Amino acid sequence: MGCGSSKSTDEPLLEEFLVYETENGYPQPRPPVNRKEECFDSRDYMDIDSNAQKVLATPQSTNDSLIGEITRECTTDLQKLRAVYMWLAAQKIESENYPKITDNSTPRGYMKNIKHKNGSYTAFFTLLCRAAGLPCVIVKGKGKSLNYEVGDQDFTNLNSQWTAVYVDKSWRLVHPLWSFRAVTGFSKGNWTMIEKEGQAVNKKESKSSGNDVVQLNEFYFLTDPDEFIYKCRPDKEPWQLLSQPWSMDKYINVPYCHPNFFQYGLKHDKDLKCILKSQKGKCWIDIMHSENVDPTLKYELFYNEKESRRQAPTDKRLDRFVAYNNEVDSKGVVIRFPVEGVFKIIFRGFCEFKLECDKIGETVNEFPNNPEFGYGQGITAKKGGINSATPTNGFIDLARAQRKTFSINVDDPAKVTTTLKSGDNKTDFSDHVTQDISGNRVNIDVTMPDNPDVTDCVLQISVASKPALNYLLSTDKIVNENKNKGDPVRDSLTRATRGTDIDILQRAINEFENKGLEDKGDLTGAKARLQELIEDQNASRTDEALDRRIRDRLKQATEENDTDELEGAINEFTANRLEDRGDLTDAKQRLLDLYTSALQKSTAERNLNKLEDIVERAKNSMVCGSLKNSQVMLDAERTIRQLRRLQQYLSRVLAMKQTTVSEITSYKRPKQCVHDVMKATFLLLGEKDKALNRWEHIQSLTKRLGKESLIRRIKQFDVINLRLPVANRSDRLLGVYGELEVRENSAGAGTFYNWSYNMIKEVKGNDS
C-alpha cells in the first residue's frame, strides 16, 4: 500500500514492537453461543461509531489513554469492541506522517510501524482490545486472499492472520486488515474473458498488481465461524470455533464464496466443489436461497489458454454457453462448453468456480438468449398471476418428437398465451403447442420438433401478453442428472408441498404412494400440507353476509383516522381469509400512512413520552416491516436517543439547589473560567454576546425568577433550536477549560459547564 509522504519525514524509523499471540488466563476456544445477527445490529451502535471515529491519537497518547477516549461512553464489552473497530477503521495510517515519533509502544508509534511495513493491523487491533480489557488472540493460518485463484491447490504462500476476541462470554472472529483495506484490479493475467451475460467478449486480462483502496467491509466483524472458514482456516484447529472442524482438504476444495454469498443467505449443495469436472461437455451449479431473497447472478465466463494448452478458438463465437434457471428458492446454471479446456465462471459479488472440460459433448451450439428473468417458476411468474407450475425447474430434457405436459394454476386462464421457438429464434414451432383449461388450471401440451437441426427450444408462457414463465427444452440432456438422480418422484412431492395447488399436490402424493417409496417424513408432511390447503379452501368460502360486513368495516376504517380500529378491521379481514380485491391493500397503505404521519408529527413535537409510545406502537403494528428501516422511523429513533441524552444532561441541572445558583450570583469578581462558563450558557439560551461581557448583566439574568429563571429556561431549552455559529462561539469559551478546573472554582458553574458542553456536542453532531 502507498505510504503517502517520503520516509524521510518519518525519521527515525522504529524497531518492531512484539505483540504476543495470546496471554495467560484466556478462556479455551469454543464455538460462539449464538450468531452475529442475534447479538449485533449496527444500527444500535451509530452513536458509538460516531464518537469513536472523532477521537484523535496524539503524540502523547498511550494505548490506555487512547482507549479511555475511544470507549468513554461504552458500558458493555461489545460496545467497547465496536468502538475500537470503528476507530481503527477511520485511521488513515498509510497517508499520515509521524515525525519525531520514537516510542514504538504508543499508538502513533505502532501506526508508524504499520506504514513502514514493520507492524500489522491485526497486532495493533490486538493491542487496543487488550488495553480495553478484552481478551484478544492473534490467529494465524491460511487465507484465500489476493494471490488466491479459484481452484488453487497449493496454499504454501497463502498465509494470513486475524483475531479472535472474547466478548459476551463467546469468542468472536474479526479480520482487521480485510475489514479496512482491499486491493482492486489485481490480476495475474492468466485468463481471457470470452462471455459476459450472453455477449461475446474475447478480452485478455492484463497482469496488474492492482490498487490499494480504503474501505469498510463489515462482513469481517464478528463473522460467524461457519462462514469465515470459507475464507480463512487457522493453523490450530480449535480456533476454527466449529463443532465439526474442517480438514485442509475440505477448505481447499469448497466453492470460493464472497461475503455477499453469506449476507444474502445463499446455500450450495454440500457436495459442490470449487473445481467442477464436465460431464458430456456440461457443468451444473445450483444455489439455494430463501423465498424472501431474489439474488441476480450476473456472470462472466473465462478461458485459460495456458492451462488449456491451446488458444481460444477464433473461428467461432464464444457466447451464450450459459443458461440460467431462476426459481423462487434456487438458482441453477448449466454451462455447455464450446471447446475443451480450462474455464472459470464468476458470479459477480457471490462466488466463483473453476471448470474443467476434457471432452466436449455432442452439441456445442449456443443456448438461446437468457430471458431477463431466466427460466423456471421465479418471482416474475408469481407477479404475473401464476400461483403454481409443474414443473418448476426451467430446464427440460426432451427427445425429438417427445410430448410433455406443463400445468399452471393462474388467476385468469383466459389471458394465458404460449409460444415455442427454436434456440436461434428463427423458427416458430407454436403449432407444436396446445392448451386446455380446467377451472384455474391451464394444461399445456408440447411436442418437441422432430428436426435434427433443432437442439434447443424456448417455451414462453405469457399472461395478459406479458412474459411470465419460460422453459428451456433441449435434446442435449441439460438437466443436472446428479441433482435429480434416483428420486424424481420424491423431488416432485417436495416441490408440490411447497406450492398451493391442491390437485398437483394430490397427484404427487398418489404417485409417491403408487411407487411404494419410503416415507422419510416428506409424505407425512405432504399429507399435512394437503389437509391444511383443503381447510384453508373451505374456510375461504365465507358466508356472504359476513363477507359484506367485514368488507364494510374495513372500508369504513380505511376512511377514518383510528389506527386501532383499522388494525382490528385488517386483522378480522385476514383471519377470515377474504380475497383482497384492492380493499385490503388500500387499508394497509392507509395504516402505513397514518403511522408515518404520527411518527413525523411526534418527531417534530419532540415530546419524549409521546414519541416513545408511537414508536413502540408502530413497531408492533401490522405494517412494522415497511416502517422498520424507513427514514421516518430512523428519524424518530434518532430523536428518541437524543431526547434521552438531553434528559440525562438536564437531570444534573434540575438537581441543583437554588442556593447553588445564588452562590454564582453573589460573586462580585468571579474567576474568568466561571464568567466564561456562564457566558457560554446564556449564549446557548439566546442572549446577546456583547452584553454578556459584563458580569453585572449575567448576575441580573441569573437572579430572575419564575418563567425567566435560569433553571426554567434550561428545562424548556431544545437543542434543535441551537444554531452552529452560536455553538461554536460557546465552544471556544469552554474549550480553554476542563470541567474539573471549573468545579474546583464553583460547583454550580461546573454543572452548567457539563450541560453546555453536551449541548454543543449535540448540535455539532447533528451538523457533522
Coordinates of all heavy atoms in Angstrom, one line a residue, residues 386 390-391 403-408 416-419 432-437 441-447 459-462 469 471:
I386 N -49.4 -16.3 -11.9 CA -49.2 -17.8 -11.9 C -48.9 -18.2 -10.5 O -47.9 -17.9 -9.9 CB -48.1 -18.2 -12.8 CG1 -48.4 -17.9 -14.3 CG2 -47.8 -19.7 -12.7 CD1 -47.3 -18.2 -15.3
T390 N -46.0 -26.8 -12.8 CA -45.4 -28.1 -12.8 C -44.9 -28.3 -14.2 O -45.7 -28.3 -15.2 CB -46.3 -29.2 -12.4 OG1 -46.9 -28.9 -11.1 CG2 -45.6 -30.5 -12.3
P391 N -43.6 -28.5 -14.4 CA -42.5 -28.5 -13.3 C -42.1 -27.0 -13.0 O -42.5 -26.1 -13.8 CB -41.4 -29.2 -14.0 CG -41.5 -29.0 -15.4 CD -43.0 -29.0 -15.7
R403 N -43.4 -35.8 -26.2 CA -44.5 -34.9 -25.8 C -44.4 -34.7 -24.3 O -44.1 -35.7 -23.5 CB -45.9 -35.5 -26.2 CG -47.1 -34.7 -25.8 CD -48.3 -35.3 -26.5 NE -49.5 -34.7 -26.0 CZ -50.3 -35.2 -25.0 NH1 -50.0 -36.3 -24.5 NH2 -51.4 -34.6 -24.7
K404 N -44.7 -33.5 -23.8 CA -44.7 -33.3 -22.4 C -45.8 -32.3 -22.0 O -46.1 -31.4 -22.8 CB -43.3 -32.7 -21.9 CG -43.3 -32.5 -20.4 CD -41.9 -32.1 -19.9 CE -41.8 -32.0 -18.4 NZ -42.1 -33.2 -17.7
T405 N -46.4 -32.5 -20.8 CA -47.5 -31.6 -20.4 C -47.0 -30.7 -19.3 O -46.3 -31.1 -18.3 CB -48.7 -32.4 -19.8 OG1 -49.2 -33.2 -20.9 CG2 -49.8 -31.5 -19.4
F406 N -47.2 -29.4 -19.4 CA -46.9 -28.4 -18.4 C -48.2 -27.9 -17.8 O -49.2 -27.6 -18.5 CB -46.2 -27.2 -19.0 CG -44.8 -27.6 -19.6 CD1 -44.8 -28.1 -20.9 CD2 -43.7 -27.5 -18.9 CE1 -43.6 -28.5 -21.5 CE2 -42.4 -27.8 -19.5 CZ -42.4 -28.3 -20.7
S407 N -48.3 -27.9 -16.5 CA -49.6 -27.4 -15.8 C -49.3 -26.2 -15.0 O -48.3 -26.1 -14.2 CB -50.1 -28.5 -14.9 OG -50.5 -29.6 -15.6
I408 N -50.2 -25.2 -15.1 CA -50.0 -24.0 -14.3 C -51.4 -23.6 -13.7 O -52.4 -23.8 -14.3 CB -49.5 -22.8 -15.1 CG1 -50.5 -22.3 -16.2 CG2 -48.1 -23.1 -15.7 CD1 -50.1 -21.0 -16.9
V416 N -53.9 -16.5 -20.8 CA -52.6 -17.2 -21.0 C -52.4 -17.5 -22.4 O -53.3 -18.0 -23.1 CB -52.6 -18.6 -20.2 CG1 -51.4 -19.4 -20.5 CG2 -52.7 -18.3 -18.7
T417 N -51.2 -17.2 -22.9 CA -50.8 -17.5 -24.3 C -49.4 -18.1 -24.3 O -48.7 -17.9 -23.3 CB -50.8 -16.2 -25.2 OG1 -49.9 -15.2 -24.6 CG2 -52.2 -15.6 -25.3
T418 N -49.1 -18.9 -25.3 CA -47.8 -19.6 -25.3 C -47.2 -19.4 -26.7 O -47.9 -19.3 -27.7 CB -47.9 -21.1 -25.0 OG1 -48.9 -21.6 -25.9 CG2 -48.4 -21.3 -23.6
T419 N -45.8 -19.5 -26.7 CA -45.1 -19.6 -28.0 C -44.0 -20.6 -27.8 O -43.5 -20.8 -26.7 CB -44.4 -18.2 -28.4 OG1 -43.5 -17.8 -27.3 CG2 -45.5 -17.1 -28.6
H432 N -46.8 -26.7 -32.4 CA -46.5 -27.9 -31.6 C -47.1 -27.8 -30.2 O -46.8 -28.7 -29.4 CB -45.0 -28.1 -31.5 CG -44.4 -28.6 -32.8 ND1 -44.5 -27.9 -34.0 CD2 -43.6 -29.7 -33.1 CE1 -43.9 -28.6 -35.0 NE2 -43.3 -29.7 -34.5
V433 N -47.8 -26.7 -29.9 CA -48.3 -26.5 -28.6 C -49.9 -26.4 -28.6 O -50.4 -25.8 -29.5 CB -47.8 -25.1 -28.0 CG1 -48.2 -24.9 -26.6 CG2 -46.3 -25.1 -28.1
T434 N -50.5 -27.1 -27.6 CA -51.9 -27.0 -27.4 C -52.2 -26.7 -25.9 O -51.4 -27.0 -25.1 CB -52.7 -28.3 -27.8 OG1 -52.2 -29.3 -27.0 CG2 -52.4 -28.6 -29.3
Q435 N -53.4 -26.0 -25.7 CA -53.7 -25.6 -24.4 C -55.1 -26.2 -24.0 O -56.0 -26.3 -24.9 CB -53.8 -24.1 -24.2 CG -52.4 -23.4 -24.3 CD -52.6 -21.9 -24.1 OE1 -51.7 -21.1 -24.6 NE2 -53.6 -21.4 -23.4
D436 N -55.3 -26.5 -22.7 CA -56.6 -27.0 -22.2 C -56.8 -26.3 -20.9 O -55.9 -26.4 -20.0 CB -56.6 -28.5 -22.1 CG -57.9 -29.0 -21.5 OD1 -58.9 -28.8 -22.1 OD2 -57.8 -29.6 -20.4
I437 N -58.0 -25.7 -20.7 CA -58.3 -25.0 -19.5 C -59.3 -25.8 -18.7 O -60.3 -26.3 -19.2 CB -58.9 -23.6 -19.8 CG1 -57.8 -22.8 -20.5 CG2 -59.3 -22.9 -18.5 CD1 -58.3 -21.4 -21.0
R441 N -56.8 -23.9 -13.9 CA -55.6 -24.6 -14.3 C -55.5 -24.6 -15.9 O -56.5 -24.8 -16.6 CB -55.6 -26.1 -13.8 CG -54.3 -26.8 -14.3 CD -54.2 -28.2 -13.6 NE -54.2 -28.1 -12.2 CZ -55.3 -28.3 -11.4 NH1 -56.5 -28.6 -12.0 NH2 -55.2 -28.1 -10.1
V442 N -54.3 -24.4 -16.4 CA -54.1 -24.5 -17.8 C -53.1 -25.6 -18.0 O -52.0 -25.6 -17.5 CB -53.5 -23.2 -18.4 CG1 -53.3 -23.3 -19.9 CG2 -54.5 -22.0 -18.1
N443 N -53.5 -26.6 -18.8 CA -52.5 -27.7 -19.2 C -52.0 -27.4 -20.6 O -52.8 -27.2 -21.5 CB -53.3 -29.1 -19.1 CG -53.6 -29.5 -17.7 OD1 -52.9 -29.3 -16.8 ND2 -54.8 -30.0 -17.6
I444 N -50.7 -27.4 -20.7 CA -50.1 -27.0 -22.0 C -49.3 -28.3 -22.5 O -48.3 -28.7 -21.8 CB -49.1 -25.8 -21.8 CG1 -49.9 -24.6 -21.2 CG2 -48.4 -25.5 -23.1 CD1 -49.0 -23.5 -20.7
D445 N -49.7 -28.8 -23.6 CA -49.1 -30.0 -24.2 C -48.1 -29.5 -25.3 O -48.5 -28.7 -26.2 CB -50.1 -30.9 -24.8 CG -50.9 -31.7 -23.8 OD1 -50.3 -31.9 -22.7 OD2 -52.0 -32.0 -24.0
V446 N -46.8 -29.9 -25.1 CA -45.8 -29.5 -26.1 C -45.1 -30.7 -26.7 O -44.8 -31.7 -26.0 CB -44.7 -28.7 -25.4 CG1 -43.6 -28.2 -26.3 CG2 -45.3 -27.5 -24.7
T447 N -45.0 -30.7 -28.0 CA -44.2 -31.8 -28.7 C -42.9 -31.2 -29.2 O -43.0 -30.2 -30.0 CB -45.1 -32.4 -29.8 OG1 -46.3 -32.9 -29.3 CG2 -44.3 -33.5 -30.5
L459 N -40.0 -22.4 -24.6 CA -41.4 -22.3 -24.4 C -41.7 -21.1 -23.5 O -41.2 -21.1 -22.4 CB -42.0 -23.6 -23.8 CG -43.5 -23.6 -23.3 CD1 -44.4 -23.4 -24.5 CD2 -43.8 -24.8 -22.5
Q460 N -42.4 -20.2 -24.0 CA -42.7 -19.0 -23.3 C -44.2 -18.9 -23.0 O -45.0 -19.0 -23.9 CB -42.2 -17.7 -24.0 CG -42.4 -16.4 -23.2 CD -41.8 -15.2 -23.8 OE1 -42.5 -14.5 -24.6 NE2 -40.6 -14.9 -23.5
I461 N -44.5 -18.7 -21.7 CA -45.9 -18.6 -21.3 C -46.1 -17.2 -20.8 O -45.4 -16.7 -19.9 CB -46.2 -19.6 -20.1 CG1 -45.9 -21.0 -20.6 CG2 -47.6 -19.4 -19.6 CD1 -46.0 -22.1 -19.5
S462 N -47.1 -16.5 -21.4 CA -47.4 -15.1 -21.1 C -48.8 -15.0 -20.5 O -49.6 -15.9 -20.8 CB -47.3 -14.3 -22.4 OG -46.0 -14.3 -22.9
L469 N -43.3 -16.9 -17.6 CA -42.6 -18.1 -17.3 C -42.0 -18.7 -18.5 O -42.6 -18.7 -19.6 CB -43.7 -19.1 -16.7 CG -43.3 -20.5 -16.4 CD1 -42.1 -20.5 -15.4 CD2 -44.5 -21.3 -15.8
Y471 N -39.5 -21.9 -20.2 CA -38.9 -23.3 -20.1 C -37.9 -23.4 -21.3 O -38.2 -23.1 -22.4 CB -39.9 -24.4 -20.2 CG -40.8 -24.5 -19.0 CD1 -42.1 -23.9 -19.0 CD2 -40.4 -25.1 -17.8 CE1 -42.9 -24.0 -17.9 CE2 -41.2 -25.2 -16.7 CZ -42.5 -24.7 -16.8 OH -43.3 -24.8 -15.7

